[in-house]
Amino acid sequence: MNLTTREFLQVLGAGTMAGMSLGVYAETDIATAAHGLYDIPKFGNVSFLHMTDCHAQLKPIYFREPNVNLGVGDMKGKLPHLVGEHLLKFASIRPGSAQAHALTYLDFEKAARRYGKVGGFAHLATLVKRLKASRPGALLLDGGDTWQGSATSLWTKGQDMVDASKLLGVDLMTGHWEFTYGMDRVKEIIDKDFAGKIDFVAQNVKTNDFGDPVFKPYVMREINGVPCAIVGQAFPYTPIANPRYLVADWTFGIQDDNLQKVVDEARAKGAQVVVVLSHNGMDVDLKMAGRVTGIDAILGGHTHDGMPVATLVSNRGGKTIVTNAGSNGKFLGVLDVEVRDKKVADFRYKLLPVFANMLPADPEMDALITRVRAPFEARLAEQLAVTEGTLYRRGNFNGTGDQLLVDALMDVQGADMAFSPGFRWGTSLLPGQAITREWLMDMTATTYSYATVTEMTGDTIKTVLEDVCDNLFNPDPYYQQGGDMVRVGGLQYTCSPSATMGRRIDDMRLHGKPIEADKKYKVAGWAPVAEEARTQGNQQVWDVVEVWLRAQGGKVAARKPNTPKLVGATPNPGIADLPGST
């Protein structure tokens, strides 16, 4: 793709690319604000709608964005590693506006009560229908992590989300957490439910034995007479980040070389627009965009970064647009492309937050959601306690929701410390809201959520923390697997994100006393990837945490996240409100 200097500066300036900043709409009534937010003029002759990482959230939710999203090396101070006021300033978005609330953690409780819940497939469906009506031929692309993240999705083996996706009008998708239902279930859905309706694409998933493609690498679709290729890029580290036994017959990986061959093949077959639907994580996408040529846009997911501004990456073949559309169903990306002389000549990109009280619920989708949830409503709504503080999961090091989990695991199981995985999915609760079984499952629902207690030496504990930290802060994005740092309860430590592997974690202490390398400690955790965990008779983590919640006398005090002291991390526009950081 080749753009003029003016067009390139449009992206860098961010003004028209950030969606509607609302401006005068920010302090007005909901109806006027909704008009300012969703009245998007059509542009060009090819359009793509992009959603990703909804994590099975069919109903509107609250979701607090991170106050820590550190970029290291070349990514320091660059998208997606901007938080709070830094992100708003870069994208020319007015503080206090609806869009500012959607994109940042700032004044979260006040703004959440003002603007209400976000997401919900019934409200998303309304927005999708409006945009498809104004953009004939537009394709709805789903970046994956759709079938996992809720109780109903776990209990129906993803069927609730499969049915909702078909009704929503998804045209193509790729995957990650979908694979944790196992190979047979994934193939069953694709071969039966999706047949003739939704294409599942992934150029980087092949069979172990002969290296045959497991899924379609790409599909060609004609949009208003323009042949377009959509290439799939599933999460490359699935067998590492999740249990290997669930995808035992398949290989994954980034596979740049194969991607280049696929793009070249699509171009040879007449594709005038090539889009990669990716679940790499944004840093990986940015590097890939500089290495693989012939891609007009990478619509990314996995790292849950809501990007109001498209990034243009130069490579030896031209420029590639890179975007990411957030998570939990709270955003819909809109990429409008103008194709002239058989190539992309110009584009407009907007990231639209989905506010449930600004978009009426689509009746048909609302009815489907009611129907699929009906058998489970009593279990979902059961109140386990009331929270006195905001509960959230997000941020590189900890959140109050995960703090609740590690506190519970330590108390119930008598552990010295506890680890909770650095998952980025999970919903938020405001002070005074009920902690229901549904929220607990939103935080823990996987197919391998076994609670564990393991004896570890101090040396092993350090090795675990170093490995996860390198995954998060390795300066080469291709060595990052997404996710955040393991959440730690009971243990204090310092972290130097910019240090080298093996030297980032220091000064580990338990109750103020230094951790001894050879001493054994009782460590609680959950979601082990080892296959033997499923045959050891361990309880599910939600059962352990429920015991703790019921023992709190009806109320759970506000949690203070246990975070490490950061060394050499500031100043950095990807960090705010983390005590003790230097």
Side-chain angles (χ1 to χ4, degrees), residues 267-307:
R267 289 289 187 187
K269 290 184 177 180
Q272 297 175 18
V273 179
V274 175
V275 169
V276 173
L277 180 61
S278 166
H279 203 90
N280 280 334
M282 188 163 176
D283 283 1
V284 178
D285 285 337
L286 290 168
K287 179 174 179 177
M288 176 181 283
R291 291 165 60 94
V292 181
T293 62
I295 301 171
D296 293 302
I298 301 177
L299 305 182
H302 180 59
T303 41
H304 294 198
D305 301 305
M307 291 293 96

Side-chain angles (χ1 to χ4, degrees), residues 97 120 149 151 166 188 198 238-239 244 286 289 297 316 416 484 512 568:
S97 66
K166 290 193 296 183
E188 178 185 32
I198 300 175
T238 296
R244 179 79 180 102
L286 290 168
R316 57 186 173 83
D416 298 312
D484 286 311

Side-chain angles (χ1 to χ4, degrees), residues 91-130:
S92 300
I93 294 173
R94 178 177 173 177
S97 66
Q99 198 172 23
H101 169 52
L103 289 165
T104 73
Y105 69 94
L106 297 170
D107 297 318
F108 175 72
E109 294 173 18
K110 178 181 177 182
R113 288 193 166 96
R114 177 183 180 189
Y115 291 111
K117 293 185 176 182
V118 294
F121 262 50
H123 307 276
L124 178 61
T126 295
L127 182 57
V128 168
K129 286 183 177 179
R130 286 185 187 179

Side-chain angles (χ1 to χ4, degrees), residues 204-219:
N204 60 327
V205 184
K206 300 175 182 177
T207 59
N208 274 329
D209 48 10
F210 300 111
D212 296 326
V214 176
F215 309 105
K216 298 175 183 177
Y218 71 102
V219 296

